[in-house]
Amino acid sequence: MQDQINSIKEKVATLIKNAVHSKELEEIRINFLGKKGEFTTLLKSLGSISAEMRPKIGAMVNEAKAKIEKDLEKAVADLKRKELDLQFEKEKIDVTLPGRKPQIGTAHPLTIIQNEIEDIFLGLGFSIEEGPEIDTDFNTFQALNFQDDHPARDAQDTLYVNKDILFRTHTSPVQARTMQKMHPEPVRIICPGRVFRRDAIDPTHSPQFHQIEGLLVDRDVKFSDLMGILEIFAKKLFGNDRKIRLRPSFFPFTEPSAEVDVSCIFCNGKGCSFCKGSGWLEVLGSGAVHPNVLRMGGYDPEEFTGYAFGMGLERITELIYQINDIRYFFENDVRFLKQFK
Ligand code: PHE
């Protein structure tokens, strides 16, 4: 019996020593001290021992049991600490490592320039008007005095949804919409927006691009008012040294019409490769609102006059940032976009 107790003690001691996980220690506890454990069985067998030996053996068993309990407790505590240390080691955070910098987005170059242009005209008393990208043939062409056989109405140039509905080819339908809505009140608006043309993509063409339209309708508006506002605009956007020049042109909805050039922003008019030696860069189309357009918008051309202008946002942004391919704007390559702040 004594040998049995000692051998159990030794067995348990080795097991405890070799345990690497607290689960194993729990198994040891159950196997030896549990209800069906070896010691319990041993204690149950005390009945078969002679009366004088019984207290001695009993004390031995109890002592062995107590020792195992104590050893187990200590081993459990040791292992738990080791496991915790291990976990800490694994989850250690090195606070001295450099942080990962989150990438901060930047505004798209078109947005940057659109905002600048909007700010200039807001400062001149214009408000911002918007219209739908898909509009009627009436607003896009008829109300703007386009003849039925005008080439812009050809399905080769314009994307039609059906006979009467189309993807607007310019922002000018917003002129028509605003006059229909505002008459007989004066109008002083700009309208930025996306427009569509049936063009194949190449460095200078895209089926979608952006325009900013301007329209002013009031009493006593003169052509010189248009020239004045455009000169202020050109100086504010391109620099105080800039001059503008008007060349006769044609648009169905303005009469007279003028193409507006700004003195080259690189050579300031001397002539360079950018302006192809001319000293001038073409930036927008403009003119006095055609009487037919005023009439269709609900204004009496005897009482009201006005001016309108329209510019390509991509073209102007290309000039300012010296970008030479319209496709960069829509490819959304971050290496390109990151350069504009
Ligand atoms: N809508 C014209 C275009 O797309 C631009 C323009 C607008 C010209 C307003 C004159 C007045 O080319």
PDB file of all heavy atoms in Angstrom, residues 170 172 175 197 211 213 251 253-254 285-286 308-310, ligand 1:
ATOM      1  N   HIS A 170     -24.389  70.512 -75.091  1.00  0.00           N
ATOM      2  CA  HIS A 170     -23.783  71.702 -74.489  1.00  0.00           C
ATOM      3  C   HIS A 170     -24.629  72.085 -73.266  1.00  0.00           C
ATOM      4  O   HIS A 170     -25.694  71.491 -73.026  1.00  0.00           O
ATOM      5  CB  HIS A 170     -23.656  72.860 -75.495  1.00  0.00           C
ATOM      6  CG  HIS A 170     -24.927  73.221 -76.218  1.00  0.00           C
ATOM      7  ND1 HIS A 170     -24.993  74.205 -77.164  1.00  0.00           N
ATOM      8  CD2 HIS A 170     -26.201  72.742 -76.115  1.00  0.00           C
ATOM      9  CE1 HIS A 170     -26.217  74.310 -77.634  1.00  0.00           C
ATOM     10  NE2 HIS A 170     -26.969  73.436 -77.010  1.00  0.00           N
ATOM     11  N   SER A 172     -25.993  74.918 -72.916  1.00  0.00           N
ATOM     12  CA  SER A 172     -26.917  75.995 -73.304  1.00  0.00           C
ATOM     13  C   SER A 172     -28.409  75.707 -73.053  1.00  0.00           C
ATOM     14  O   SER A 172     -29.170  76.662 -72.863  1.00  0.00           O
ATOM     15  CB  SER A 172     -26.676  76.386 -74.760  1.00  0.00           C
ATOM     16  OG  SER A 172     -25.326  76.768 -74.930  1.00  0.00           O
ATOM     17  N   GLN A 175     -29.770  77.713 -70.410  1.00  0.00           N
ATOM     18  CA  GLN A 175     -30.217  79.082 -70.752  1.00  0.00           C
ATOM     19  C   GLN A 175     -31.725  79.073 -70.967  1.00  0.00           C
ATOM     20  O   GLN A 175     -32.463  79.881 -70.386  1.00  0.00           O
ATOM     21  CB  GLN A 175     -29.577  79.548 -72.070  1.00  0.00           C
ATOM     22  CG  GLN A 175     -28.124  79.918 -72.022  1.00  0.00           C
ATOM     23  CD  GLN A 175     -27.728  80.623 -73.339  1.00  0.00           C
ATOM     24  OE1 GLN A 175     -28.535  81.343 -73.926  1.00  0.00           O
ATOM     25  NE2 GLN A 175     -26.501  80.406 -73.779  1.00  0.00           N
ATOM     26  N   ARG A 197     -20.995  64.247 -76.485  1.00  0.00           N
ATOM     27  CA  ARG A 197     -21.007  64.293 -77.945  1.00  0.00           C
ATOM     28  C   ARG A 197     -20.572  62.958 -78.491  1.00  0.00           C
ATOM     29  O   ARG A 197     -19.842  62.210 -77.847  1.00  0.00           O
ATOM     30  CB  ARG A 197     -20.104  65.414 -78.468  1.00  0.00           C
ATOM     31  CG  ARG A 197     -20.744  66.757 -78.197  1.00  0.00           C
ATOM     32  CD  ARG A 197     -20.096  67.921 -78.882  1.00  0.00           C
ATOM     33  NE  ARG A 197     -20.604  69.151 -78.246  1.00  0.00           N
ATOM     34  CZ  ARG A 197     -20.087  70.352 -78.418  1.00  0.00           C
ATOM     35  NH1 ARG A 197     -19.045  70.506 -79.194  1.00  0.00           N
ATOM     36  NH2 ARG A 197     -20.611  71.394 -77.804  1.00  0.00           N
ATOM     37  N   GLN A 211     -18.805  71.777 -69.490  1.00  0.00           N
ATOM     38  CA  GLN A 211     -18.839  73.179 -69.903  1.00  0.00           C
ATOM     39  C   GLN A 211     -19.311  74.034 -68.731  1.00  0.00           C
ATOM     40  O   GLN A 211     -19.945  73.539 -67.799  1.00  0.00           O
ATOM     41  CB  GLN A 211     -19.818  73.368 -71.072  1.00  0.00           C
ATOM     42  CG  GLN A 211     -19.335  72.791 -72.386  1.00  0.00           C
ATOM     43  CD  GLN A 211     -20.264  73.160 -73.540  1.00  0.00           C
ATOM     44  OE1 GLN A 211     -21.445  73.416 -73.328  1.00  0.00           O
ATOM     45  NE2 GLN A 211     -19.721  73.167 -74.743  1.00  0.00           N
ATOM     46  N   GLU A 213     -21.529  77.473 -68.583  1.00  0.00           N
ATOM     47  CA  GLU A 213     -22.332  78.394 -69.381  1.00  0.00           C
ATOM     48  C   GLU A 213     -22.569  79.659 -68.562  1.00  0.00           C
ATOM     49  O   GLU A 213     -22.658  79.595 -67.336  1.00  0.00           O
ATOM     50  CB  GLU A 213     -23.690  77.702 -69.633  1.00  0.00           C
ATOM     51  CG  GLU A 213     -24.586  78.397 -70.600  1.00  0.00           C
ATOM     52  CD  GLU A 213     -24.295  77.947 -72.017  1.00  0.00           C
ATOM     53  OE1 GLU A 213     -23.520  76.995 -72.198  1.00  0.00           O
ATOM     54  OE2 GLU A 213     -24.855  78.568 -72.941  1.00  0.00           O
ATOM     55  N   PHE A 251     -22.919  81.454 -83.587  1.00  0.00           N
ATOM     56  CA  PHE A 251     -23.720  80.474 -82.848  1.00  0.00           C
ATOM     57  C   PHE A 251     -25.175  80.802 -83.146  1.00  0.00           C
ATOM     58  O   PHE A 251     -25.521  81.993 -83.240  1.00  0.00           O
ATOM     59  CB  PHE A 251     -23.466  80.568 -81.336  1.00  0.00           C
ATOM     60  CG  PHE A 251     -22.035  80.315 -80.951  1.00  0.00           C
ATOM     61  CD1 PHE A 251     -21.200  81.381 -80.613  1.00  0.00           C
ATOM     62  CD2 PHE A 251     -21.510  79.028 -80.919  1.00  0.00           C
ATOM     63  CE1 PHE A 251     -19.873  81.163 -80.264  1.00  0.00           C
ATOM     64  CE2 PHE A 251     -20.181  78.804 -80.571  1.00  0.00           C
ATOM     65  CZ  PHE A 251     -19.359  79.873 -80.241  1.00  0.00           C
ATOM     66  N   PHE A 253     -27.681  80.858 -81.329  1.00  0.00           N
ATOM     67  CA  PHE A 253     -28.413  81.488 -80.224  1.00  0.00           C
ATOM     68  C   PHE A 253     -27.848  82.837 -79.792  1.00  0.00           C
ATOM     69  O   PHE A 253     -28.337  83.445 -78.856  1.00  0.00           O
ATOM     70  CB  PHE A 253     -28.469  80.542 -79.015  1.00  0.00           C
ATOM     71  CG  PHE A 253     -27.198  79.738 -78.828  1.00  0.00           C
ATOM     72  CD1 PHE A 253     -26.203  80.168 -77.981  1.00  0.00           C
ATOM     73  CD2 PHE A 253     -27.013  78.559 -79.541  1.00  0.00           C
ATOM     74  CE1 PHE A 253     -25.035  79.430 -77.835  1.00  0.00           C
ATOM     75  CE2 PHE A 253     -25.849  77.817 -79.401  1.00  0.00           C
ATOM     76  CZ  PHE A 253     -24.860  78.250 -78.551  1.00  0.00           C
ATOM     77  N   THR A 254     -26.765  83.284 -80.459  1.00  0.00           N
ATOM     78  CA  THR A 254     -26.236  84.626 -80.147  1.00  0.00           C
ATOM     79  C   THR A 254     -26.033  85.409 -81.440  1.00  0.00           C
ATOM     80  O   THR A 254     -25.724  84.846 -82.486  1.00  0.00           O
ATOM     81  CB  THR A 254     -24.891  84.539 -79.382  1.00  0.00           C
ATOM     82  OG1 THR A 254     -24.031  83.627 -80.056  1.00  0.00           O
ATOM     83  CG2 THR A 254     -25.083  84.095 -77.954  1.00  0.00           C
ATOM     84  N   GLY A 285     -16.670  80.695 -76.177  1.00  0.00           N
ATOM     85  CA  GLY A 285     -17.574  81.247 -77.166  1.00  0.00           C
ATOM     86  C   GLY A 285     -18.576  82.153 -76.470  1.00  0.00           C
ATOM     87  O   GLY A 285     -18.911  81.939 -75.298  1.00  0.00           O
ATOM     88  N   SER A 286     -19.040  83.197 -77.176  1.00  0.00           N
ATOM     89  CA  SER A 286     -19.932  84.140 -76.499  1.00  0.00           C
ATOM     90  C   SER A 286     -20.743  84.932 -77.511  1.00  0.00           C
ATOM     91  O   SER A 286     -20.572  84.784 -78.723  1.00  0.00           O
ATOM     92  CB  SER A 286     -19.107  85.110 -75.652  1.00  0.00           C
ATOM     93  OG  SER A 286     -18.330  85.933 -76.518  1.00  0.00           O
ATOM     94  N   ALA A 308     -24.449  85.879 -73.461  1.00  0.00           N
ATOM     95  CA  ALA A 308     -24.203  84.501 -73.026  1.00  0.00           C
ATOM     96  C   ALA A 308     -22.781  84.124 -73.388  1.00  0.00           C
ATOM     97  O   ALA A 308     -22.182  84.706 -74.300  1.00  0.00           O
ATOM     98  CB  ALA A 308     -25.192  83.552 -73.702  1.00  0.00           C
ATOM     99  N   PHE A 309     -22.251  83.191 -72.632  1.00  0.00           N
ATOM    100  CA  PHE A 309     -20.921  82.669 -72.984  1.00  0.00           C
ATOM    101  C   PHE A 309     -20.849  81.216 -72.532  1.00  0.00           C
ATOM    102  O   PHE A 309     -21.645  80.769 -71.694  1.00  0.00           O
ATOM    103  CB  PHE A 309     -19.803  83.501 -72.333  1.00  0.00           C
ATOM    104  CG  PHE A 309     -19.943  83.674 -70.843  1.00  0.00           C
ATOM    105  CD1 PHE A 309     -19.433  82.729 -69.966  1.00  0.00           C
ATOM    106  CD2 PHE A 309     -20.599  84.803 -70.325  1.00  0.00           C
ATOM    107  CE1 PHE A 309     -19.566  82.907 -68.587  1.00  0.00           C
ATOM    108  CE2 PHE A 309     -20.730  84.968 -68.946  1.00  0.00           C
ATOM    109  CZ  PHE A 309     -20.220  84.023 -68.075  1.00  0.00           C
ATOM    110  N   GLY A 310     -19.932  80.492 -73.135  1.00  0.00           N
ATOM    111  CA  GLY A 310     -19.769  79.087 -72.760  1.00  0.00           C
ATOM    112  C   GLY A 310     -18.324  78.676 -72.943  1.00  0.00           C
ATOM    113  O   GLY A 310     -17.682  79.053 -73.922  1.00  0.00           O
TER     114      GLY A 310
HETATM  115  N1  PHE B   1     -22.854  76.302 -76.514  1.00  0.00           N
HETATM  116  C1  PHE B   1     -21.685  76.697 -77.242  1.00  0.00           C
HETATM  117  C2  PHE B   1     -20.825  75.486 -77.541  1.00  0.00           C
HETATM  118  O1  PHE B   1     -21.092  74.414 -77.034  1.00  0.00           O
HETATM  119  C3  PHE B   1     -20.876  77.694 -76.455  1.00  0.00           C
HETATM  120  C4  PHE B   1     -21.573  79.019 -76.273  1.00  0.00           C
HETATM  121  C5  PHE B   1     -22.349  79.247 -75.169  1.00  0.00           C
HETATM  122  C6  PHE B   1     -21.437  80.035 -77.223  1.00  0.00           C
HETATM  123  C7  PHE B   1     -22.977  80.468 -74.985  1.00  0.00           C
HETATM  124  C8  PHE B   1     -22.076  81.235 -77.055  1.00  0.00           C
HETATM  125  C9  PHE B   1     -22.829  81.458 -75.956  1.00  0.00           C
HETATM  126  O2  PHE B   1     -19.880  75.554 -78.300  1.00  0.00           O
END
